[in-house]
């Protein structure tokens, strides 16, 4: 929401003003704050200059839920084994979305990781690996 609110002026802001907002937003996706600080520093590095800021703005413009909504009715057509792994405390995409995906994709499995947030592959790699191993065995 913050990203959408800032978009009209974001391309005119100095990157030094914009990046702290991006950092703060992304940090919300981590249960482990120290890991988040380290990872987010890497993620935002390319957006430090004017060209990076412009690329970030283009990326934010492309974050449109309409694209996802447009394919929702086709999820029932998925014929491949599907594993959905989700952080229980994801601040960006609530676990209810994961449940809706599971219900919409025939035969899919759902693993909601307690205490995990958005960046589950980074913070809970063993759980992700277990889900992938199980998926590959199906």
């Amino acid at each position: 929401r913050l990203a959408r609110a800032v978009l009209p002026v974001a391309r005119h802001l100095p990157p030094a003003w914009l990046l702290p907002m991006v950092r703060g937003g992304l940090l919300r996706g981590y249960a482990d704050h120290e890991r988040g600080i380290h990872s987010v520093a890497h993620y935002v590095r390319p957006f430090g200059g004017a060209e990076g800021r412009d690329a970030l703005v283009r990326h934010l413009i492309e974050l449109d839920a309409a694209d996802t909504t447009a394919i929702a009715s086709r999820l029932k057509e998925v014929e491949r084994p599907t594993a959905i792994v989700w952080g229980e405390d994801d601040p960006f995409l609530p676990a209810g979305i994961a449940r809706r995906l599971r219900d919409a994709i025939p035969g899919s499995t759902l693993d909601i990781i307690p205490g995990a947030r958005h960046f589950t592959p980074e913070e809970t790699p063993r759980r992700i690996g277990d889900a992938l191993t199980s998926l590959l065995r199906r």
Side-chain angles (χ1 to χ4, degrees):
R1 289 183 190 140
L2 177 61
R4 289 265 174 229
V6 173
L7 270 178
V9 297
R11 72 181 74 237
H12 306 290
L13 292 174
W17 291 9
L18 189 58
L19 287 182
M21 288 187 277
V22 172
R23 275 188 201 98
L26 289 173
L27 277 173
R28 291 179 39 236
Y30 286 88
D32 181 339
H33 188 74
E34 291 303 315
R35 178 187 298 270
I37 289 171
H38 177 75
S39 293
V40 168
H42 290 288
Y43 294 151
V44 301
R45 187 176 298 140
F47 304 116
E51 285 183 29
R53 177 209 47 223
D54 295 345
L56 176 63
V57 169
R58 286 191 304 275
H59 174 73
L60 293 173
I61 289 169
E62 293 299 320
L63 289 175
D64 187 350
D67 294 335
T68 305
T69 303
I71 65 165
S73 65
R74 299 193 60 211
L75 292 174
K76 64 183 178 286
E77 300 170 20
V78 174
E79 296 177 350
R80 300 288 185 255
T82 303
I84 302 161
V85 183
W86 215 271
E88 177 182 50
D89 300 324
D90 189 324
F92 309 123
L93 302 167
I97 294 172
R99 290 181 188 94
R100 290 195 329 248
L101 282 170
R102 180 208 46 217
D103 294 345
I105 300 172
S108 63
T109 60
L110 173 60
D111 184 11
I112 295 181
I113 303 172
R117 293 180 148 253
H118 188 73
F119 296 100
T120 55
E122 256 184 273
E123 294 195 292
T124 60
R126 183 167 304 279
R127 292 290 296 268
I128 299 297
D130 291 346
L132 287 172
T133 299
S134 178
L135 176 67
L136 292 171
R137 287 184 177 145
R138 293 191 347 201

